Amino acid sequence: MHMARCSYFPQNGLTYNIAMKRIILCCLFLGATKIAFAQVVNIKDQQSGQPVEAASIVSASPRELTTTNAKGQADISVFKGAEIIEIRALGYETAQTSYAALETTKFEFLLLESTLNFDEVIVSATRWNQAAKDIPTKVISISPKDIALQNPQTAADMLANSGYVFMQKSQQGGGSPMIRGFATNRLIYTIDGVRMNTAIFRGGNIQNVISLDPFATEKAEVGFGPSSVIYGSDAIGGVMSFQTLTPQLSLNNSTLITGKAVTRYSSANQEKTGHFDINVGWKKWAMVSSISSNNFGDLKMGSDGPKEYLRPFYVQRQGDADVVVGNDDPRIQRPSGYSQINMMQKLRYTPNEKWDFQYGFHHSESSEYSRYDRHIRYRSNGQPRYGEWAYGPQKWNMNNLNISHNGSNGLYDQATLRAARQFFEESRIDRNINDNERHIRIEEVIANSVNLDFNKSIGSKNRLFYGAEFVHNDVNSTGIDEDISTGVTANGPARYPKSTWASFGAYLSDQFLVSDKFTVQAGMRYSQFSLDATFDTTFYKFPFVEASLNNGALTGSLGFVFRPTKEWVISANGATAFRSPNVDDIGKVFDSEPGAVVIPNPDLKAEYAFSGDVGIAKVFGGFLKIDLTGYYTNLQNAMVRRDFTLNGQDSIDYDGSLSQVQAIQNAAVATVYGIQAGIEAKFGKGFGFSTDFNYQNGKEELDNGTTSPSRHAAPWFGISRLTYAAENLSLQFSAEYSGEKTFADMPTEEKGKPEIYAFDPDGNPYSPGWYSLNFNAMYRFTDHLSVSAGIENLSDQRYRPFSSGIVAPGRNFILSLRANF
């Protein structure tokens, strides 16, 4: 065997120089070939010439998709030869071009600011990119541009600013979204495609959403109505999907370095916020680092509104006693301040155009923060009930590995594997006034999940979405009782039993293009869920020590989209959704009342929702868009506490007395119906107007069999905006508003919380209607420096959103500086 000799390595030194020249020329040729292979397109705003970030570039043949980086650039080498390339970006008109046409413009393309259309790119509906006009359900998006102008302090505020999510807050460090009459454990949260819901998501208000960082959010979407086919348990009222910053690769031989630094101050709570993120990208590797620090002081309410909301006094610990002291400013809600830090680190590796590996680490931790609604709960003598009531630091960590493959094979066109491990810690600290015994309850959850998702086009008419999901939660709960006078601690009753909760599901969805004007989408999913709990009988002598559940749920959806013209979209969708029993449902064993004992029910099944909605949208003359959606949801098998039997007996001896046996059972029904309406107008010369309006009405069956207005069906609410945008200036004047809840319309549970409501002339609690006028502005001095400012609640209204414990901010001045590089 012999090897061929390379002619570039001659045998005599006289031709060495000639050989080296040949090698250099060869390398230059190969380098030029490499550069030519990496063909970069530049997408810019036609008016300002600024790069357009996160623009989607899509081709059906070849089937490819990519997005632009922070410099408006994308590598479109794999699009070579494509006759139709669509370019979409939020706020811009969808454009069509071809690879050949881009060559003639030296691969520079200008996007025109949107008049009005239905071409927005949506991910959350199926976990894959789709045009909004092809989806039979309603989905709205929140862009980084919206976030920068509106300056939300938390992710809860970011959602509320959308105009479609009603936000309840028990305290300043909180935010429990209400969507279409559902909330808490009947809504889904996802971060980078990973489920955030855990087995201890309760029916009461939760505040997990504040663990997310608006500054690190690349895009947020809210999907309305049942989504259990894609997301499994809990997806009854809607889905909130958050995509965090994606590491951006360099598209040439230079290192790509981009990022931003932001500082912000707000007067209503003396907010001091700082943020910094940096992206470093090479040809195949990239990383992004992000950190945000927030410090919020006690929140000040407005001057014009119900006097019941004022805070005339508060409790202060002085030496060995709790002392009620006068508040020097009754508009300041003491105690309500807290601080928080968010950090994120992502790493990306793309060996070629087929594979994409991304690893992400997220960390969020708050300080201890007082539950304000408990601090305004009083005894019959008018004195405060609690000396302290706080949530301990809320902690959340997530490690997430995301592997994507563009296969274009017999099984799939694209596949994504997401494997995640999350850690949650939350705690409660309470003590009655002038009582030395402090109760501390700590909950920890380790959540492991794996998602495998595929999409496959079959011919030009069918596109399949299918996949599987596995979720496993370990729940550990600890109780500590502390004598604050001596510092001695002892074990106390835990909030939950030691538990594991698991779910496995598989789904299939098909999008069928009947014609260019008519699309049908149908899907189904089967989920199997299990729960095992071990009860500690040290403090409660229950007649059981273990409980197990193992059950399944089948859900489906069927919808269509009809587009008679480019200006019309008519859609309808019918779907079922479910919520499986979780540890919080089983944990209600600790809510036993005198004369009754609640035992686990091993036959507990999932709650089922049956929902339908119809939507219609029309664009008039390219300057006015109107959309209207009506919906109805019926929740069957809702979990409530009812009388039960144990070994054939309806009463047992419990703690020395004969007690009625009860259990959580699938025995109640709830209904919700409503409308969502939107108007958007473009007047030209940079002026625009929009209004989003929501009306919902719900009824729910209570534990005792009676019916009540639904606790999570908020009064009507909405937001209207008048906007102006020039080359370097953006202005927005907005009005946020909500209707009244009279005493007759108040949910039964809310009537038992008079401390958070105003009183009508008959002395009954009710929730007054309210409005807030706001002004926001942002000016870009250079490509690298901008300033934004705003005044929220211009008329200094004093209002408390329905069901909230804390009063909204009064007049609030905001100033923020932003540097991009």
Side-chain angles (χ1 to χ4, degrees):
M1 179 179 178
H2 65 276
M3 297 180 65
R5 179 183 297 166
C6 177
S7 62
Y8 289 127
F9 292 89
Q11 298 304 300
N12 83 61
L14 294 176
T15 56
Y16 178 78
N17 290 336
I18 297 174
M20 286 303 298
K21 288 180 181 179
R22 290 178 177 177
I23 292 172
I24 293 170
L25 288 173
C26 181
C27 291
L28 289 173
F29 173 76
L30 291 174
T33 303
K34 179 68 176 178
I35 293 171
F37 178 75
Q39 183 57 64
V40 177
V41 67
N42 291 275
I43 309 296
K44 297 181 179 180
D45 181 294
Q46 181 172 304
Q47 180 180 357
S48 67
Q50 293 296 309
V52 178
E53 184 179 1
S56 297
I57 304 173
V58 187
S59 166
S61 179
R63 182 168 294 279
E64 297 292 346
L65 181 145
T66 189
T67 57
T68 56
N69 61 19
K71 295 188 175 182
Q73 298 176 332
D75 182 355
I76 60 167
S77 306
V78 293
F79 289 75
K80 189 169 185 178
E83 296 182 358
I84 299 176
I85 298 175
E86 277 197 348
I87 304 174
R88 303 171 182 156
L90 191 62
Y92 294 90
E93 288 190 7
T94 296
Q96 280 194 354
T97 184
S98 65
Y99 192 89
L102 288 173
E103 282 182 310
T104 64
T105 63
K106 298 182 179 179
F107 293 96
E108 182 172 295
F109 196 85
L110 303 179
L111 285 180
L112 183 65
E113 186 180 344
S114 172
T115 49
L116 293 166
N117 57 54
F118 307 108
D119 292 332
E120 183 182 351
V121 177
I122 297 298
V123 176
S124 59
T126 60
R127 292 184 180 270
W128 299 100
N129 286 294
Q130 290 179 280
K133 65 181 179 180
D134 296 327
I135 300 170
T137 56
K138 184 175 181 65
V139 182
I140 61 106
S141 296
I142 304 169
S143 71
K145 187 182 294 186
D146 297 329
I147 297 170
L149 177 61
Q150 294 164 1
N151 268 313
Q153 291 188 347
T154 67
D157 298 332
M158 179 180 72
L159 290 170
N161 288 343
S162 71
Y164 282 104
V165 179
F166 191 91
M167 196 61 59
Q168 183 278 349
K169 290 186 178 183
S170 297
Q171 63 283 324
Q172 187 176 194
S176 189
M178 298 182 184
I179 299 175
R180 286 193 176 183
F182 294 100
T184 61
N185 56 16
R186 290 171 180 150
L187 301 175
I188 279 283
Y189 304 76
T190 70
I191 298 87
D192 293 340
V194 177
R195 174 191 181 93
M196 192 183 200
N197 294 47
T198 72
I200 62 170
F201 267 38
R202 55 192 180 274
N205 298 310
I206 58 176
Q207 52 273 343
N208 299 73
V209 72
I210 68 167
S211 292
L212 308 178
D213 183 4
F215 288 112
T217 300
E218 193 170 83
K219 185 181 182 183
E221 295 177 357
V222 181
F224 299 92
S227 299
S228 281
V229 168
I230 302 298
Y231 293 99
S233 179
D234 304 0
I236 293 177
V239 175
M240 290 160 285
S241 174
F242 302 86
Q243 175 62 49
T244 60
L245 297 174
T246 301
Q248 300 294 325
L249 299 165
S250 174
L251 301 177
N252 52 44
N253 292 324
S254 300
T255 302
L256 173 69
I257 301 177
T258 60
K260 64 179 180 288
V262 183
T263 62
R264 185 175 62 217
Y265 171 81
S266 300
S267 64
N269 57 0
Q270 304 297 304
E271 177 205 12
K272 303 173 191 68
T273 285
H275 168 80
F276 178 79
D277 67 67
I278 183 170
N279 181 100
V280 181
W282 298 274
K283 295 295 287 292
K284 295 184 177 183
W285 290 88
M287 64 179 184
V288 62
S289 303
S290 171
I291 183 169
S292 296
S293 175
N294 311 94
N295 188 285
F296 307 110
D298 292 329
L299 184 63
K300 188 173 184 178
M301 66 182 79
S303 60
D304 184 12
K307 66 180 187 304
E308 294 93 335
Y309 295 169
L310 293 171
R311 179 72 160 147
F313 52 79
Y314 60 97
V315 176
Q316 189 177 79
R317 187 72 175 175
Q318 296 181 1
D320 295 331
D322 294 320
V323 180
V324 178
V325 298
N327 194 350
D328 56 357
D329 187 346
R331 291 168 56 196
I332 296 180
Q333 302 172 83
R334 309 180 194 272
S336 60
Y338 77 104
S339 61
Q340 183 167 313
I341 189 166
N342 285 78
M343 294 184 287
M344 183 186 75
Q345 179 65 55
K346 285 189 173 182
L347 184 66
R348 182 181 184 184
Y349 173 59
T350 55
N352 51 51
E353 68 274 8
K354 297 289 186 181
W355 290 94
D356 192 347
F357 298 82
Q358 294 188 39
Y359 164 76
F361 172 73
H362 301 256
H363 172 76
S364 174
E365 183 172 348
S366 74
S367 65
E368 180 180 300
Y369 52 99
S370 294
R371 182 167 173 178
Y372 185 76
D373 63 340
R374 289 293 190 263
H375 284 271
I376 58 174
R377 182 169 289 182
Y378 306 110
R379 298 184 186 277
S380 57
N381 61 5
Q383 293 299 300
R385 178 178 295 273
Y386 296 103
E388 57 180 312
W389 213 121
Y391 287 112
Q394 179 170 288
K395 302 176 184 178
W396 170 64
N397 292 334
M398 180 171 77
N399 289 276
N400 178 27
L401 177 64
N402 188 321
I403 303 174
S404 298
H405 182 238
N406 293 320
S408 297
N409 53 46
L411 291 177
Y412 59 85
D413 296 328
Q414 295 169 301
T416 297
L417 172 69
R418 295 180 181 90
R421 183 179 177 87
Q422 299 178 80
F423 171 78
F424 301 82
E425 181 183 309
E426 58 185 56
S427 55
R428 294 161 177 80
I429 306 159
D430 71 87
R431 182 177 56 81
N432 290 331
I433 192 167
N434 284 316
D435 187 337
N436 287 333
E437 186 174 68
R438 175 187 287 149
H439 306 125
I440 304 170
R441 305 293 180 258
I442 303 171
E443 284 74 57
E444 295 180 344
V445 179
I446 296 176
N448 298 305
S449 62
V450 179
N451 291 82
L452 189 57
D453 300 289
F454 305 91
N455 75 66
K456 175 66 180 175
S457 293
I458 302 176
S460 59
K461 298 286 188 180
N462 281 80
R463 189 180 181 192
L464 293 178
F465 308 94
Y466 63 99
E469 176 185 61
F470 174 73
V471 180
H472 185 274
N473 285 192
D474 279 316
V475 179
N476 285 286
S477 189
T478 305
I480 301 172
D481 291 336
E482 178 186 5
D483 187 327
I484 63 171
S485 64
T486 64
V488 175
T489 61
N491 292 333
R495 180 177 174 87
Y496 296 119
K498 183 176 177 59
S499 312
T500 60
W501 181 91
S503 172
F504 173 80
Y507 72 92
L508 172 66
S509 181
D510 179 36
Q511 185 182 76
F512 178 58
L513 185 66
V514 179
S515 68
D516 290 340
K517 297 182 177 181
F518 194 80
T519 302
V520 175
Q521 186 153 336
M524 64 184 302
R525 176 189 182 110
Y526 180 78
S527 297
Q528 188 73 22
F529 52 87
S530 63
L531 188 155
D532 293 291
T534 302
F535 294 88
D536 183 357
T537 59
T538 303
F539 301 96
Y540 301 101
K541 303 301 180 183
F542 299 120
F544 49 83
V545 292
E546 294 181 344
S548 297
L549 296 174
N550 195 334
N551 229 314
L554 180 67
T555 53
S557 65
L558 176 63
F560 73 82
V561 180
F562 178 49
R563 302 171 296 276
T565 68
K566 287 185 177 181
E567 291 77 30
W568 277 96
V569 172
I570 301 168
S571 62
N573 191 67
T576 59
F578 77 99
R579 183 179 80 84
S580 65
N582 66 16
V583 175
D584 186 74
D585 299 309
I586 293 295
K588 288 179 181 177
V589 69
F590 300 122
D591 291 338
S592 55
E593 59 194 33
V597 57
V598 182
I599 68 172
N601 178 4
D603 297 320
L604 202 59
K605 296 178 174 59
E607 297 178 336
Y608 265 96
F610 300 85
S611 182
D613 55 88
V614 177
I616 185 169
K618 174 76 165 76
V619 173
F620 298 87
F623 72 91
L624 177 65
K625 182 170 80 171
I626 297 177
D627 68 86
L628 180 67
T629 302
Y631 61 89
Y632 175 85
T633 302
N634 179 267
L635 182 67
Q636 297 282 342
N637 289 336
M639 292 177 241
V640 292
R641 188 172 62 185
R642 295 284 170 83
D643 290 346
F644 200 59
T645 61
L646 178 65
N647 298 324
Q649 297 182 351
D650 61 6
S651 298
I652 60 173
D653 182 71
Y654 172 67
D655 201 20
S657 63
L658 191 65
S659 299
Q660 172 69 53
V661 175
Q662 295 183 331
I664 304 299
Q665 300 175 57
N666 300 108
V669 175
T671 58
V672 179
Y673 63 89
I675 59 169
Q676 294 176 299
I679 298 175
E680 186 177 1
K682 300 282 188 179
F683 301 127
K685 296 186 177 181
F687 287 95
F689 175 80
S690 67
T691 288
D692 300 308
F693 178 82
N694 306 265
Y695 170 81
Q696 46 279 315
N697 188 290
K699 296 287 184 184
E700 60 186 2
E701 192 174 350
L702 305 178
D703 288 346
N704 61 8
T706 62
T707 60
S708 164
S710 175
R711 178 188 173 194
H712 293 134
W716 59 261
F717 69 96
I719 190 167
S720 299
R721 302 182 182 91
L722 179 64
T723 59
Y724 172 76
E727 183 174 346
N728 296 313
L729 178 66
S730 297
L731 303 175
Q732 183 182 97
F733 177 78
S734 64
E736 189 177 359
Y737 39 82
S738 177
E740 176 186 85
K741 277 275 190 181
T742 65
F743 177 73
D745 292 332
M746 288 275 284
T748 301
E749 186 173 346
E750 296 301 301
K751 290 179 181 178
K753 306 173 185 176
E755 67 273 7
I756 67 173
Y757 290 105
F759 293 96
D760 64 19
D762 296 324
N764 295 316
Y766 83 110
S767 180
W770 53 267
Y771 70 90
S772 174
L773 303 178
N774 316 289
F775 177 75
N776 298 90
M778 183 165 61
Y779 184 77
R780 189 177 73 246
F781 293 103
T782 69
D783 291 344
H784 304 292
L785 182 65
S786 62
V787 61
S788 59
I791 308 176
E792 296 177 340
N793 196 358
L794 282 160
S795 57
D796 207 26
Q797 296 297 300
R798 184 188 306 146
Y799 67 94
R800 177 182 268 139
F802 169 71
S803 190
S804 292
I806 197 161
V807 182
R811 186 181 294 117
N812 185 27
F813 296 90
I814 304 168
L815 180 64
S816 176
L817 295 175
R818 179 187 182 113
N820 296 304
F821 58 90

